[in-house]
Structure formats: structure tokens, C-alpha cells
Amino acid sequence: MDKESLFVGWFLAVRQIRRTSVWTTTLIVFVMMLTFLNLVVVSGILVGLVEGSSAAYRSQYSGDVLISNLPTKKFIPNTLQIVRNYSDVTHIKAVSTRYITSGVIESDYKKIKKPGDVFERVSASITGIDPEDENIVTALSKRVIQGEYLSSDDVGYVLVGSSLLKEYAGKNRPGSGKFLSGVFPGAKIRITSNDKEREYTVKGIIKSKIGEVGNRIYALDRDVRILTERFDYNANEISFKIDDSVSPEHVRDDIISINKSNGIDGEMRVETWSEAQGQFFKDLQSTFFILGSLIGFISLVVAAITLFIVIFINAISRRRYIGILKGIGVDSAAIKISYTLQSIFYSVAGSLIGFIIIYGILVPFFMENPIDFPFSDGFLYAPISETFVRFIILLIITVVAGYVPAAIITRKNTLDAILGR
């Protein structure tokens, strides 16, 4: 390919685009824009569904780093000493210590039952927290949809997860399908745990699509320690909020190093927020990414075929013109370049409009108005790097779709093309 062929091809492409009907050009650019949006938006929403759930897990439950007791242990040994040791770790902004026990919650235990009737009851985790610490780490107060958040003096009060309540979850509650009814702020519930029964007043209802939050009962840490007779202050979870300037992996490694120096290595699980989620989230994200890519690929094929047909028909209808160009000495390479440049124009124009729509409208919109999926608040996941890769793929496909029909037409004998044979 010489400079002269490139220049002539450029000239012919510009001339052809200018002479093409505005409606035809607009339609082709519109198709390319929709193809680009389909490539990015479909997979972005599918992956964003999982990313939204993953981000909520981090912000509402695990924090940046989570320590939990091993399955073989009932609690984290030497919790108080561990928390004091971690205060020396740089970049840790806040720590929330949680005491967790299982129990049975009843809401209508004061009603007189007929023979054969049963009380409404559910099994749930009762979690003791310091309200101020927990709110700094996970902003739990923002999850309160009715009533008020706990204060440090609210002995005998609890927050109830909406997933346990019929009025909020109903038949959509995961698990056993059992739930409580008539539980609102000010109502009384009875909790049975470790063969002990205690009555609590509901102060607020919390709503979260994260099961570890929405399926829990929250009370003051000292209430739960009394209920479980755990006076050694050994907790079940320790959640950390860290500075943005450091990675969770760095803080996790610092904590493990401190554990080793204090001879308690292997006594607990120390995980970053992503590790605490387990493999399920990663597998789900990969699945949705593949599904979105498959849908995008189908759209890409349709767009390529559409562009191929448009260029091919255009070239067929102008084959006499192409024959004349060849007859006066215009190189076939220049003609191929002209049609290839036309396809590049359509692809770039459509993709540029798509970029503006995605990052100027869709991404900000979904950040402010997340999609209300059953298990997460989804958003449009569209990193610039991945979007650019999709743009390059679309560009390559359209270049091929523009080049091939031009190559087919220019192979014809020059005289046959001029005579229309």
C-alpha cells in the first residue's frame, strides 16, 4: 500500500460519504451505536448486578478486612488483646467487634393459642454490637427503614432484619420460608438462646439485600454477652474499615504478621472483603460476563452482516463507476481503502456517540438510581479499559465487513464492470 493509494482512497471515501443520503448515513451510524451499546451495556448490567451485591457486602457487612472465628471454635480467642494489637496497624480507621449467637425469635408469644396452633417463630443470628463502632464501619444506621437506630444506652432494644418479617419479605424470604408478622418499632419479641428466654423491644427495622445483615437481629454487645454468658469478651467477628490509600491485602498481611508474633497464628480466619465472599461471587461474575459477551457477540455479528450488505449493495450499484476508476488508472487498492475507510467512519461515529451515552448518561444515571434486583442493587459496570477493548473489536469487525465486499467487486474485469456485465 503506497501513499498515493492511501490518499486517493481517502479522497474517494470522503466524496462517497458526502454524496450518500443523510438518512442512509444516519441509519448506519445508528446501527453501529446500538451495536456498541449492546456490547457494553448488556454485559455491564449483568456484571454490575454481581458487582453491586459484592460492593454492598463490603460496605454493609464485612468492611475492608474481616476476622471471624474458625468453624472448629466458638469465638475468636483473646479478642480484647487482639484488638489492642491491631490498633498499632497503620491505616485502620475503625473496628467493629461483633458477638454472635443463634436463637429462636417469637413475635406472638403473648397471644392465647387454641389447641394445635403454633407460635410464629424464626431462627436467626443475634448479633451484639457497639452501635457507634458498627455505624462507622458499615453505616448500619442508613439501613434503618422504620424506627430508630440503636444508641449505646438501649439495653433491651433490638433492630430486626426485614428479611425475617412478613410485611417486608413475605414469601420472598430465602431459606425456610418462615417469617414473623406484626413486628414494628415498639413491638415486643422474645428471643430464646442457650436455653434462656429474654424479652426485647423492637427499636427499628433494618433492610439489606445482604443475607448476613437482613437476616439478623442486632442488639447491644453487652445484651448478647449476658444472653450467652460470655463474659470473656471473646467475639465472633471483627470488621475493619481502612484508609483508601492502602489495599485490604496489605492490612490483612499486617494483621497476620502480628498474629504470628503473638503466637496466635491459625487461631482465626483473616480475610479481605473479597476473600470473605467466597468463590461464589467470582463464579457468578464470570458467568454473567460470559453471558453478556455472548449476547454482545450475536449483536456484533448482526451489525457486521448489516454493514457488509450495505457496503456490498453500494459497491454493486456503483460497479460501472468502479470500472471507470480502474480504467483511468485508479489502483484497486485505493478503491478497497475507500470502502474500508467508510466502514471505519461508521464504526467510529457510532461508537463515539455510544461513549457519550454510556459515560455521560447511563453510568451516572445507574449510580444514582441502581436497578432493584432481588438480591442486589445493580449498576452499570463499564470500566474504560474494557469498553475500549470492545470498541477495538467492533472496529476490526467493521473494517473486515467493509473491505471484503470492495475486494469482491474490484476483482471483476474492468471492461465487464464498465459495460455492466
Side-chain angles (χ1 to χ4, degrees):
M1 182 189 303
D2 53 31
K3 291 183 179 180
E4 184 179 350
S5 295
L6 186 60
F7 176 79
V8 174
W10 172 268
F11 173 79
L12 292 174
V14 172
R15 187 171 179 272
Q16 179 69 14
I17 292 171
R18 285 178 177 176
R19 290 194 167 197
T20 303
S21 166
V22 173
W23 291 108
T24 301
T25 301
T26 302
L27 180 61
I28 298 173
V29 171
F30 183 71
V31 169
M32 300 310 297
M33 180 199 71
L34 291 180
T35 302
F36 181 74
L37 289 177
N38 197 27
L39 278 174
V40 177
V41 174
V42 173
S43 61
I45 289 178
L46 290 174
V47 175
L49 186 156
V50 184
E51 287 290 328
S53 181
S54 181
Y57 185 96
R58 180 181 187 178
S59 63
Q60 299 176 25
Y61 169 64
S62 69
D64 300 308
V65 178
L66 181 67
I67 299 178
S68 57
N69 60 280
L70 295 172
T72 55
K73 296 182 179 294
K74 294 183 178 180
F75 46 76
I76 302 170
N78 303 314
T79 297
L80 286 180
Q81 184 60 43
I82 290 171
V83 172
R84 291 193 193 101
N85 291 337
Y86 298 154
S87 64
D88 296 330
V89 177
T90 57
H91 307 295
I92 290 181
K93 296 169 63 176
V95 182
S96 177
T97 304
R98 303 172 187 147
Y99 302 85
I100 304 172
T101 187
S102 59
V104 175
I105 296 85
E106 298 171 287
S107 60
D108 61 346
Y109 55 94
K110 291 185 178 181
K111 293 181 180 179
I112 299 176
K113 296 288 183 180
K114 297 178 182 179
D117 290 347
V118 295
F119 292 113
E120 286 188 353
R121 60 181 64 185
V122 296
S123 298
S125 294
I126 300 93
T127 305
I129 58 172
D130 180 302
E132 294 182 3
D133 290 343
E134 184 67 27
N135 200 42
I136 295 173
V137 174
T138 64
L140 186 62
S141 64
K142 293 182 179 180
R143 310 268 77 79
V144 177
I145 58 172
Q146 193 172 358
E148 298 178 355
Y149 185 61
L150 290 174
S151 69
S152 56
D153 298 324
D154 284 333
V155 176
Y157 287 86
V158 295
L159 301 173
V160 181
S162 62
S163 297
L164 303 172
L165 307 179
K166 180 180 180 180
E167 287 75 12
Y168 298 94
K171 296 181 180 180
N172 293 325
R173 185 196 169 204
S176 65
K178 296 181 180 179
F179 43 77
L180 304 176
S181 61
V183 176
F184 300 99
K188 301 288 185 179
I189 61 172
R190 184 168 66 187
I191 296 178
T192 303
S193 179
N194 299 314
D195 298 326
K196 285 190 173 184
E197 292 183 353
R198 285 196 63 183
E199 186 178 76
Y200 293 88
T201 302
V202 177
K203 188 171 185 182
I205 308 297
I206 57 174
K207 185 175 182 180
S208 173
K209 295 178 181 179
I210 303 302
E212 288 81 356
V213 179
N215 286 310
R216 283 185 173 183
I217 304 288
Y218 286 90
L220 293 185
D221 46 12
R222 55 180 177 272
D223 267 344
V224 175
R225 288 199 302 268
I226 291 172
L227 183 65
T228 58
E229 296 183 343
R230 191 182 300 176
F231 303 112
D232 52 13
Y233 291 89
N234 286 328
N236 299 93
E237 292 177 351
I238 307 173
S239 180
F240 297 88
K241 185 178 181 65
I242 64 176
D243 289 330
D244 295 333
S245 60
V246 66
S247 69
E249 289 77 15
H250 177 78
V251 175
R252 175 204 60 194
D253 294 341
D254 281 350
I255 292 173
I256 293 175
S257 178
I258 292 175
N259 286 350
K260 288 182 179 179
S261 63
N262 286 277
I264 55 174
D265 182 39
E267 294 292 310
M268 66 205 74
R269 290 186 295 193
V270 183
E271 301 170 304
T272 64
W273 63 273
S274 59
E275 293 169 341
Q277 292 178 9
Q279 190 63 33
F280 172 74
F281 275 96
K282 295 179 181 178
D283 292 342
L284 193 61
Q285 184 182 30
S286 299
T287 300
F288 282 168
F289 180 82
I290 294 172
L291 182 60
S293 298
L294 179 60
I295 296 173
F297 174 76
I298 295 173
S299 174
L300 194 63
V301 171
V302 172
I305 293 173
T306 302
L307 189 59
F308 177 91
I309 293 172
V310 169
I311 297 292
F312 187 74
I313 292 176
N314 182 281
I316 286 289
S317 64
R318 295 174 62 83
R319 60 182 175 179
R320 179 171 295 178
Y321 169 75
I322 293 172
I324 293 172
L325 288 176
K326 291 173 65 179
I328 62 176
V330 176
D331 188 49
S332 297
I335 300 172
K336 296 175 186 176
I337 290 172
S338 71
Y339 282 102
T340 302
L341 289 176
Q342 288 179 56
S343 65
I344 291 175
F345 166 77
Y346 295 133
S347 177
V348 171
S351 298
L352 182 60
I353 297 173
F355 266 105
I356 294 172
I357 292 174
I358 290 170
Y359 294 104
I361 300 175
L362 296 181
V363 169
F365 175 80
F366 285 121
M367 289 299 292
E368 293 294 327
N369 305 277
I371 306 172
D372 187 16
F373 290 110
F375 67 90
S376 78
D377 292 324
F379 59 91
L380 179 58
Y381 180 77
I384 290 288
S385 59
E386 294 187 12
T387 303
F388 186 75
V389 169
R390 285 172 168 77
F391 163 69
I392 295 299
I393 294 173
L394 178 61
L395 185 61
I396 293 172
I397 294 297
T398 52
V399 165
V400 174
Y403 176 83
V404 171
I408 293 173
I409 297 301
T410 53
R411 281 202 194 103
K412 281 187 171 291
N413 180 273
T414 302
L415 185 58
D416 288 339
I418 294 175
L419 296 176
R421 293 185 301 199

